[in-house]
Amino acid sequence: MNRRMQALAVFPAKKSVQLVDIPEPQLQDATGVLLGVREVGLCGTDREIISFEHGSPPPGSDRLILGHESLAEVVEVGPSVRRLSPGDLVVAMVRRPCPHPECRPCRAGRSDFCVTGHFTERGIKEADGFLTEYALDDEEYLVKVPKPLVDVAVLLEPLSVVAKAVVQARAILDRLPYEPGPQRGLVLGAGPIGLLGAMALIAHGYETVVYSREPEGGDKSKLVHSLGASYVSAASQPLETLTETTGEFDLILEAVGFAPVMMAASRLLRANGVVALTGIPAEGAAADIDVGGALRDLVLKNQVVFGTVNAGRSDFLSAIQQLEQFMTLFPESTRKLITHRRPLSEAARMLTQRDGIKNVVQLGLREA
Ligand SMILES: [Zn+2]
Ligand SMILES: [Zn+2]
């Protein structure tokens, strides 16, 4: 007997987003895991998909099930599953490897560095997501989450993106042939990635500034202050003159996705500093900047600007460590990143309303 369940799906050809009634998945593979989805975080990527700017259904299907920021409970495991058992809490990695034997990163388990572009992404690109009551996955792509993190573990997927950016930036800073002194960090943007980024920089010992559009004294600036960081609003200080009041930075984490801000970031660096870009700007955007001056600084000051996307298993593991640290350093502020928790029936509406920081869809485990 095949039971039915609901899922939120986008139909790109029909330009519609709707709840669909589909059969519950059944465990088939020896290394397969049946998941009862508990929570799914929503983000700008989902908003782009429901605006039909991004995202594609699995081959042969006219619809894509949304949801890539998952938290799930293991319900059943295949006979060859070794690391997980029913009742375990897990977060699923988003990107899955391309099939090409010559793609070294994918073959090494790091599809976040895929060189062919033929990877898939759960809930985004050619693979269904987790905005559904039950889902299947393979043990290989599931990361076990410590139970005490259950309240905030839905933040692990976006935090894995931040964790990768920080790991990569620190690897670049590690190239310096001297012991650096106290480090100063700047976060551009105060969305979920920016605020998680600020927490990560503080946890790594950076004296941290967050620069964003929201006014001083608003909820986001209060949250930033509660972490022990400074907040500067774009309304009161143009980016070009920011360092006149704050000084220059060793590490800049960009989470805005607006080309002029991204292009201007390197001008705020101290000598030997690093900019990590995580935002995805629209193509064709023009920026009125002094390109010669920016390139001159990169060379004469040994600076590095790099982009980073997605995350590998080691980044998810470092995200778990960081989240545990956040829950020790600033538990209330970490919980406050999750603004609303609503049922699946309200997911589509939550995606169109842009209030709060991180909105989460809650899915109940059905009684057997
Ligand atoms: Zn996301
Ligand atoms: Zn690949």
Side-chain angles (χ1 to χ4, degrees), residues 137-209:
D137 213 330
D138 192 280
E139 177 179 34
E140 189 178 347
Y141 306 115
L142 296 171
V143 182
K144 189 169 163 177
V145 176
K147 294 245 165 90
L149 289 179
V150 64
D151 286 352
V152 289
V154 71
L155 297 170
L156 281 170
E157 194 283 330
L159 184 56
S160 72
V161 173
V162 169
K164 177 178 171 183
V166 172
V167 166
Q168 299 286 313
R170 290 175 67 88
I172 295 167
L173 289 165
D174 275 350
R175 84 201 189 285
L176 298 176
Y178 61 94
E179 195 57 51
Q183 302 266 295
R184 296 167 46 76
L186 170 67
V187 176
L188 296 170
I193 297 284
L195 292 171
L196 288 167
M199 291 178 172
L201 292 193
I202 292 160
H204 278 94
Y206 284 78
E207 183 190 331
T208 302
V209 176

Side-chain angles (χ1 to χ4, degrees), residues 41-46 68-69 94 124 157-158 161 193 358:
L42 305 175
C43 76
T45 300
D46 301 300
H68 59 276
E69 301 183 2
V94 176
I124 302 173
E157 194 283 330
V161 173
I193 297 284
K358 174 61 70 186

Side-chain angles (χ1 to χ4, degrees), residues 68-70 91-95 110 112-113 121 124 141 143 145 152-169 192-194 196-197 200 204 253 278 306 308-323 326 358:
H68 59 276
E69 301 183 2
S70 66
V91 54
M93 293 161 66
V94 176
R95 194 179 279 191
R110 288 304 299 252
D112 55 319
F113 287 98
E121 287 174 336
I124 302 173
Y141 306 115
V143 182
V145 176
V152 289
V154 71
L155 297 170
L156 281 170
E157 194 283 330
L159 184 56
S160 72
V161 173
V162 169
K164 177 178 171 183
V166 172
V167 166
Q168 299 286 313
I193 297 284
L196 288 167
H204 278 94
L253 183 67
T278 74
F306 74 101
T308 173
V309 70
N310 214 268
R313 179 176 283 275
S314 62
D315 303 311
F316 275 84
L317 296 176
S318 93
I320 288 172
Q321 274 181 3
Q322 287 189 13
L323 195 55
F326 297 173
K358 174 61 70 186

Side-chain angles (χ1 to χ4, degrees), residues 184 186 209 211 232 236-249 267-269:
R184 296 167 46 76
L186 170 67
V209 176
Y211 180 87
V232 181
S236 57
Q237 177 90 54
L239 190 59
E240 305 75 63
T241 59
L242 176 65
T243 54
E244 289 171 15
T245 47
T246 62
E248 293 171 328
F249 300 95
R267 303 311 297 272
L268 311 173
L269 285 176

Side-chain angles (χ1 to χ4, degrees), residues 97-100 103-107 111 113-119:
C98 75
H100 305 290
C103 183
R104 286 169 178 260
C106 282
R107 302 291 72 79
S111 56
F113 287 98
C114 176
V115 294
T116 69
H118 296 152
F119 53 81

